[in-house]
Amino acid sequence: MQQTPTPGVLEVVTGPMFSGKSEELIRRLKRARIARQRVACYKPDIDLRYHRTAIASHSSQTHDAEVIATVEDLRDKLFPILGETDVVGIDEAQFLSPEIVPLALELVALGKRVLIAGLDTTFANEPFGPVPNLMALADKVTKLSAVCMVCGQAAIHTQRLGQSQELVVVGAAGLYEARCRTHFSPFTDEHGSQQLELSAQIQA
Ligand code: ADP
Ligand code: MG
């Protein structure tokens, strides 16, 4: 048998908001560190919901992360420390440009384990940024579901509540919730509008 260098691996964790993508990414990164692997973690600067220097889950778990403005910025920050890095984690990858795909494959070819978490679809039910391409090229894809906030069934969709159709309104509490196929609607949302009015009343 021929001796060939061991390539790395590309793992993608995807699903709607609240499905536990960040939790799962944090879990895998923590296990890698327990195995004494050297971990570098990044997130795009569009997602500043909780921390500037960490990825965070809705259940308040965190892992140190460096904020990146672009894929080029990620390359500039990562390559100087690549020799001391075994595992590269990236959260909220849906906000990155398509250049993340060849960079992820380059890192895998260099023997790195690349863990990427991100939304697979937008609230309009369109493929979200580079995540579907990353899924297609991954060694392993974990598609998580959340709990539908209307009926409690498994939710694969992210529902935008209220009327705004802007694509990127990041993380504002009460603006999104997880929905199953039955209770998801990409453009109109009678359940959500009611809930938004309710939460406005509660806050008032
Ligand atoms: P993601 O990164 O996919 O948005 P997180 O890892 O940040 O998800 O958060 C997952 C956590 O969110 C769950 O463990 C749970 O505590 C909380 N949560 C809030 N709403 C829901 C929901 N509708 N379905 C599942 N988990 C939810
Ligand atoms: Mg997340």
Side-chain angles (χ1 to χ4, degrees):
M1 193 72 90
Q2 215 182 328
Q3 287 291 311
T4 45
T6 319
V9 62
L10 175 59
E11 299 172 27
V12 173
V13 179
T14 192
M17 279 182 74
F18 306 104
S19 62
K21 300 181 298 298
S22 297
E23 269 177 6
E24 179 60 19
L25 179 62
I26 291 165
R27 190 183 76 87
R28 291 185 195 183
L29 292 173
K30 285 188 174 159
R31 287 175 60 96
R33 282 176 33 226
I34 291 168
R36 304 234 166 87
Q37 291 160 1
R38 295 158 304 174
V39 166
C41 188
Y42 301 91
K43 66 172 188 178
D45 65 0
I46 196 153
D47 178 44
L48 299 176
R49 267 179 290 184
Y50 307 103
H51 294 276
R52 281 206 139 262
T53 56
I55 54 172
S57 73
H58 293 103
S59 49
S60 304
Q61 296 177 39
T62 61
H63 189 287
D64 289 349
E66 198 167 351
V67 169
I68 49 165
T70 59
V71 174
E72 207 42 48
D73 187 25
L74 167 61
R75 183 182 280 278
D76 291 347
K77 284 179 169 141
L78 178 58
F79 271 69
I81 58 160
L82 204 57
E84 304 96 66
T85 304
D86 304 304
V87 179
V88 180
I90 303 167
D91 200 9
E92 305 288 357
Q94 72 275 3
F95 296 131
L96 294 172
S97 66
E99 287 78 47
I100 189 61
V101 178
L103 177 57
L105 295 179
E106 188 180 338
L107 293 170
V108 170
L110 291 168
K112 307 301 171 188
R113 182 179 177 207
V114 181
L115 305 180
I116 299 187
L119 292 163
D120 49 357
T121 54
T122 67
F123 69 90
N125 212 15
E126 304 281 354
F128 208 153
V131 174
N133 284 350
L134 290 164
M135 290 165 71
L137 293 163
D139 297 81
K140 178 177 164 184
V141 177
T142 306
K143 180 149 173 168
L144 301 170
S145 57
V147 175
C148 175
M149 294 305 282
V150 177
C151 70
Q153 297 291 309
I156 61 161
H157 293 294
T158 303
Q159 180 72 51
R160 168 76 65 83
L161 305 178
Q163 298 307 311
S164 169
Q165 296 301 321
E166 265 175 89
L167 182 60
V168 179
V169 175
V170 180
L175 266 185
Y176 301 94
E177 64 184 33
R179 295 286 181 86
C180 69
R181 284 186 191 278
T182 308
H183 294 113
F184 170 72
S185 106
F187 295 112
T188 55
D189 181 41
E190 71 280 16
H191 298 287
S193 302
Q194 279 166 12
Q195 292 204 357
L196 210 60
E197 276 167 32
L198 263 177
S199 68
Q201 281 167 17
I202 291 163
Q203 280 166 20

